[in-house]
Amino acid sequence: MDKIATLTFRGAKTLAAKLQQNKELAYLSYQLATIKTDVKLDITCDELQITPPDVDKLHQLLSRYEFKRWLVELESGNWLSDKKDQPTVKINQSSSTENHALVTTPRVTHQLSQENYQTILDTQTLSAWIDRLSQADLFAFDTETDGLDILGANLIGLSFAIAAGEAAYLPLAHDYLGAPDQLDRDQVLNMLKPLLENEQVRKVGQNLKFDKSILANYDIDLKGITFDTMLESYILDSTDRHDMDSLAERYLHHKTITFEDIAGKGKKQLTFNQIALEQAVPYAAEDADVTLQLHWILWPQLQQSNALMRVFQDIEMPLLAVLSRIERTGVLIDPSILAEHSKELTIRLADLETQAHLLAGESFNLASPKQLQVILYEKQKLPIRKKTPRGAPSTDEEVLAELALDYPLPKVLLEYRGLAKLKTTYTDKLPLMINPLSGRIHTSYHQAVTVTGRLSSRDPNLQNIPIRNEEGRRIRQAFIAAPDYRILAADYSQIELRIMAHLSQDPGLLNAFAAGKDIHCATAAEVFAVPLDNVTFDQRRSAKAINFGLIYGMSAFGLARQLGITRAKAQKYMDLYFERYPGVMDYMERTRKQAAEQGYVTTLEGRRLYLPDIQSRHVMRRKAAEREAINAPMQGSAADIIKRAMIKIDTWLQQETELRVQMIMQVHDELVFEIDERDLDEVQPKIRALMEEQSIQLRVPLQVDIGVGDNWDQAH
């Protein structure tokens, strides 16, 4: 027992007893934790010398085991000699197969300190650059503006790059004291318009959706958008950061000039028109230069996978222009509806605050976590479910929801928080966001934010407007149609469950969807062993919670909390579910194993969803990654399906110019349109057909529910 004794605390009798009972495991643990120093090697220390790298062998190994960042460094030449003429491995871009032939090309230098940046201040220089850009196989392009509002921002300048370290900045509206004469903006844009609208002249940029929207304000329809480095990075690994500064540091080992470096911070921050050209030129030209060099590194990585290239070329890049049009169109809202709603929320919040004070026995600030901690845990002695990183009892929404099952004060606090968020985020704020130029609100859709491929929206965030309660639906009532127009909402019905049926190939789920059954009633009939016609409302509600809970990795504890039942009963429901639908369990186990082995899962289109914590030693993180692995293929596939639908519908609308219809929103699995009443009969069936038309043949049919109304709530 000497070895075991070294692992125990003296006098700890209970631990010693446990070790005695698990003697064999203890010895095994000791053996595994011991560094073995007597291994026979076929090589001596003297032979372990640094030698020139075997580039071909390195490339094979790094590709095989998917060390992506090391592979990037290898291909960029950073593992080789510092000689500029040293060859490096590059991917043959003309190859269309999954495994590309290796060719050697001159090493791309990433030393941006030797750049040749030019300032364009006369028409002769501009004409020369236009000629060079027109003849280039590809050029990088960027706009500089005095703000981020796509409708209200002014174009201050443009930058171009055609080779590493060779870029130019074209200032148009710098108006600081002492600024040099600049070319007339209208004249310049007339000269650039044929180039920028030429589909055959390929362009690359970083977040080109913004540049396309800005140029549209000047009657320029930017075409030839072939690559976007933000989207290239996003498709390679959605868990990374995709802003240009981060990409430059990660792939080029270069720290870029940031906007704050030249404009300052806070209230005194300058707008770009106030920046002196001595600072503006290096900043703007570097943007184009870095973008071009990033593309040369990112694009070969995408070419290693046909599936990733399809996602990039067939989904994300075409969607860029679609989103630009949706954002610029905007949504009409009625501020009077929101104002009335806000008044009612104010009254309700005051009532809830009074209730909370009565339940607590004293007044306190409901928005103060510290005061809540004192009230809930020190004075009311409620059980501590979770702690903050600093060790304090948590008062977050998840904890309050759990406590609300048994205690009245947390329930009141939850309702108060929800209504306060609606008021500050929507009823108070939306009227202030109406654009004076359009009379509408214009959200910004982000393609490179979520891990799964879903779009996110900001300013305002349309994704978070609740639809399951009356207050959230009332906010949707303020989203209205223009006179003589109607709102049409087209929603994929239970798309993630249908994808689950496809992926799991479970006969029960496949048959239920094929027969057009209500899937929640069908599940309830199976789980509770009752005829389909005899399923009660509560049974269907429970089955719905199970169906959606399982695809999000919900545990028996989570299901019990949601349904208000015991954990044992919830576990029984889940066991019955898996008995009736064994294919679902097989899919979940298969997916966990696949994710652990390769570090990612894929959507039906081949989009990769990486899981950094899938092999974490931290149990909670690993379990969370496993839940994400199960859900991500469904959520990501649903995202790919609706993105393809948006592209198809937009293509149709661009061709049918006589139709008075506009796509105005995308929220989760729903597309929202504003349609002239006279075109409804023609447009409605076409939208349904295009959305249900599948690019990948599912084993179950897609179903689209369509509603029409004077506002979004009526149509949903």
Side-chain angles (χ1 to χ4, degrees):
M1 291 293 294
D2 289 342
K3 293 179 179 178
I4 294 179
T6 62
L7 303 175
T8 65
F9 295 100
R10 296 185 183 278
K13 295 181 180 180
T14 55
L15 180 57
K18 290 180 180 178
L19 287 169
Q20 182 64 48
Q21 294 171 6
N22 297 277
K23 183 177 179 179
E24 292 183 3
L25 288 176
Y27 276 116
L28 178 60
S29 297
Y30 178 85
Q31 181 182 357
L32 293 174
T34 302
I35 298 175
K36 193 170 180 60
T37 60
D38 58 350
V39 177
K40 292 184 179 180
L41 301 174
D42 297 328
I43 189 171
T44 67
C45 290
D46 292 338
E47 294 175 291
L48 295 173
Q49 300 294 327
I50 297 177
T51 59
D54 184 336
V55 175
D56 291 342
K57 185 66 174 178
L58 274 173
H59 194 280
Q60 292 173 13
L61 290 172
L62 296 179
S63 298
R64 177 181 177 186
Y65 296 109
E66 298 191 348
F67 289 101
K68 297 189 300 174
R69 294 186 183 177
W70 288 354
L71 190 62
V72 167
E73 291 185 16
L74 179 70
E75 293 179 348
S76 65
N78 290 334
W79 282 15
L80 302 175
S81 160
D82 286 336
K83 295 181 180 179
K84 292 184 179 179
D85 58 351
Q86 174 72 42
T88 184
V89 177
K90 295 290 284 185
I91 303 298
N92 184 353
Q93 297 188 15
S94 63
S95 175
S96 61
T97 60
E98 194 76 28
N99 297 314
H100 296 267
L102 298 178
V103 296
T104 58
T105 61
R107 173 184 174 185
V108 176
T109 177
H110 298 142
Q111 299 301 316
L112 301 185
S113 58
Q114 299 180 4
E115 72 272 356
N116 176 23
Y117 294 161
Q118 190 172 4
T119 310
I120 303 175
L121 292 171
D122 57 75
T123 54
Q124 184 177 357
T125 306
L126 175 59
S127 297
W129 265 94
I130 291 176
D131 289 341
R132 297 180 68 189
L133 294 171
S134 301
Q135 297 170 17
D137 178 61
L138 174 75
F139 70 83
F141 165 71
D142 188 33
T143 60
E144 299 296 346
T145 63
D146 59 1
L148 299 178
D149 177 6
I150 58 171
L151 292 184
N154 295 297
L155 181 64
I156 305 302
L158 305 99
S159 58
F160 310 94
I162 56 175
E166 191 170 357
Y169 177 57
L170 170 59
L172 297 173
H174 289 263
D175 55 8
Y176 58 90
L177 184 64
D181 292 338
Q182 296 150 68
L183 293 173
D184 177 73
R185 183 163 53 196
D186 292 339
Q187 178 188 0
V188 165
L189 292 179
N190 284 334
M191 294 175 66
L192 287 172
K193 185 178 174 73
L195 172 69
L196 296 176
E197 292 188 341
N198 191 331
E199 189 79 49
Q200 306 306 314
V201 179
R202 304 190 309 160
K203 292 100 177 169
V204 59
Q206 168 80 12
N207 189 20
L208 276 174
K209 174 166 68 70
F210 178 80
D211 305 287
K212 180 177 177 62
S213 296
I214 291 297
L215 288 174
N217 296 333
Y218 297 89
D219 193 32
I220 293 178
D221 184 9
L222 182 63
K223 294 181 180 178
I225 301 175
T226 312
F227 303 105
D228 190 306
T229 48
M230 179 183 73
L231 298 179
E232 287 174 329
S233 172
Y234 180 64
I235 298 303
L236 283 172
D237 188 348
S238 60
T239 64
D240 274 332
R241 292 177 60 88
H242 313 290
D243 60 283
M244 193 189 71
D245 295 340
S246 298
L247 294 180
E249 192 165 351
R250 186 184 315 144
Y251 292 109
L252 302 177
H253 310 291
H254 172 75
K255 182 172 176 55
T256 56
I257 305 168
T258 68
F259 185 70
E260 290 184 346
D261 290 338
I262 63 172
K265 302 178 181 179
K267 294 182 179 179
K268 294 184 178 180
Q269 187 178 66
L270 302 176
T271 52
F272 205 74
N273 57 297
Q274 299 171 314
I275 304 295
L277 291 190
E278 290 78 7
Q279 295 175 299
V281 172
Y283 170 85
E286 182 189 62
D287 279 359
D289 183 13
V290 166
T291 297
L292 187 61
Q293 295 198 47
L294 282 172
H295 165 69
W296 289 338
I297 290 178
L298 295 170
W299 180 237
Q301 299 305 302
L302 278 176
Q303 287 184 303
Q304 294 182 44
S305 167
N306 287 335
L308 294 184
M309 283 187 61
R310 283 195 301 271
V311 173
F312 177 78
Q313 293 180 315
D314 298 346
I315 299 178
E316 296 298 346
M317 286 305 298
L319 188 66
L320 182 156
V322 179
L323 294 177
S324 174
R325 279 187 279 274
I326 294 175
E327 291 176 356
R328 287 181 54 78
T329 299
V331 186
L332 191 63
I333 65 169
D334 186 337
S336 64
I337 294 176
L338 293 170
E340 182 61 31
H341 191 187
S342 192
K343 290 179 183 178
E344 295 175 15
L345 287 177
T346 300
I347 296 171
R348 177 60 181 157
L349 287 169
D351 290 342
L352 289 171
E353 186 175 31
T354 300
Q355 288 183 42
H357 291 167
L358 289 173
L359 289 169
E362 62 181 272
S363 297
F364 66 98
N365 183 357
L366 274 63
S368 170
K370 288 186 177 181
Q371 293 186 36
L372 278 181
Q373 289 166 3
V374 173
I375 295 292
L376 295 176
Y377 302 115
E378 294 183 19
K379 296 191 175 182
Q380 297 206 341
K381 306 298 182 183
L382 270 57
I384 298 173
R385 303 299 190 189
K386 188 174 70 173
K387 292 188 176 182
T388 67
R390 295 188 175 183
S394 175
T395 60
D396 66 18
E397 187 171 337
E398 181 183 2
V399 169
L400 291 181
E402 187 174 336
L403 293 173
L405 297 174
D406 302 307
Y407 304 97
L409 180 54
K411 185 175 182 180
V412 172
L413 293 173
L414 267 181
E415 185 179 357
Y416 181 91
R417 283 188 181 180
L419 295 183
K421 184 176 181 180
L422 286 181
K423 185 176 184 297
T424 57
T425 306
Y426 297 110
T427 61
D428 288 351
K429 190 175 180 180
L430 285 180
L432 303 177
M433 302 181 74
I434 297 175
N435 190 291
L437 297 174
S438 67
R440 294 173 171 245
I441 60 172
H442 300 265
T443 189
S444 177
Y445 288 98
H446 296 263
Q447 289 176 262
V449 172
T450 68
V451 172
T452 60
R454 280 190 179 274
L455 294 172
S456 68
S457 69
R458 295 179 185 169
D459 300 323
N461 182 353
L462 302 179
Q463 313 284 351
N464 282 358
I465 301 176
I467 60 173
R468 293 185 177 87
N469 61 52
E470 178 62 27
E471 301 299 341
R473 288 192 291 271
R474 285 194 60 187
I475 291 174
R476 290 182 173 223
Q477 291 171 13
F479 287 70
I480 60 174
D484 300 324
Y485 278 71
R486 304 292 297 281
I487 297 294
L488 183 150
D491 189 20
Y492 280 111
S493 173
Q494 301 166 344
I495 187 170
E496 291 186 20
L497 291 176
R498 292 172 188 272
I499 294 170
M500 165 65 90
H502 172 85
L503 292 171
S504 67
Q505 302 182 45
D506 184 90
L509 286 179
L510 292 174
N511 291 336
F513 279 120
K517 296 179 181 177
D518 180 318
I519 190 63
H520 302 313
C521 284
T523 298
E526 292 287 346
V527 170
F528 301 111
V530 297
L532 187 64
D533 294 339
N534 293 345
V535 170
T536 66
F537 174 82
D538 286 339
Q539 287 173 331
R540 185 185 184 278
R541 172 175 168 266
S542 297
K544 183 177 181 179
I546 296 171
N547 278 329
F548 285 113
L550 289 177
I551 65 176
Y552 285 97
M554 183 182 290
S555 64
F557 177 79
L559 181 63
R561 186 174 63 184
Q562 182 168 332
L563 294 178
I565 58 178
T566 65
R567 187 172 181 176
K569 195 170 186 178
Q571 186 62 58
K572 181 182 178 182
Y573 287 171
M574 293 177 68
D575 292 342
L576 286 170
Y577 180 93
F578 288 127
E579 286 179 15
R580 299 298 188 271
Y581 301 118
V584 175
M585 176 62 81
D586 290 342
Y587 162 76
M588 294 170 75
E589 293 300 326
R590 187 171 66 249
T591 303
R592 287 192 191 99
K593 182 179 179 181
Q594 180 189 43
E597 288 176 351
Q598 62 187 22
Y600 64 87
V601 290
T602 60
T603 68
L604 296 176
E605 293 278 4
R607 183 191 299 270
R608 290 185 183 180
L609 311 165
Y610 284 91
L611 304 156
D613 290 329
I614 195 63
Q615 293 184 339
S616 173
R617 294 182 180 180
H618 192 288
V619 176
M620 297 296 289
R621 290 180 181 176
R622 187 174 69 252
K623 292 295 184 183
E626 289 176 352
R627 291 193 295 270
E628 189 178 350
I630 292 168
N631 174 251
M634 288 173 280
Q635 194 172 118
S637 295
D640 290 338
I641 287 171
I642 199 166
K643 284 179 176 180
R644 281 193 177 275
M646 294 171 72
I647 294 167
K648 287 184 289 189
I649 292 172
D650 181 78
T651 300
W652 168 62
L653 292 178
Q654 295 303 306
Q655 296 169 348
E656 300 292 333
T657 55
E658 297 300 317
L659 291 175
R660 290 145 296 197
V661 53
Q662 299 179 105
M663 201 182 328
I664 58 173
M665 284 188 288
Q666 189 278 325
V667 181
H668 301 305
D669 303 322
E670 178 182 12
L671 295 180
V672 183
F673 303 83
E674 191 174 26
I675 304 175
D676 190 301
E677 293 177 337
R678 293 166 293 181
D679 293 328
L680 267 174
D681 291 341
E682 179 179 353
V683 169
Q684 185 168 329
K686 183 64 175 181
I687 288 176
R688 187 193 304 275
L690 289 173
M691 290 181 69
E692 292 182 348
E693 180 183 281
Q694 302 171 40
S695 57
I696 292 180
Q697 191 62 42
L698 297 179
R699 296 180 176 88
V700 295
L702 289 177
Q703 179 179 319
V704 174
D705 296 331
I706 291 181
V708 177
D710 294 326
N711 60 60
W712 187 13
D713 181 55
Q714 287 182 4
H716 186 74

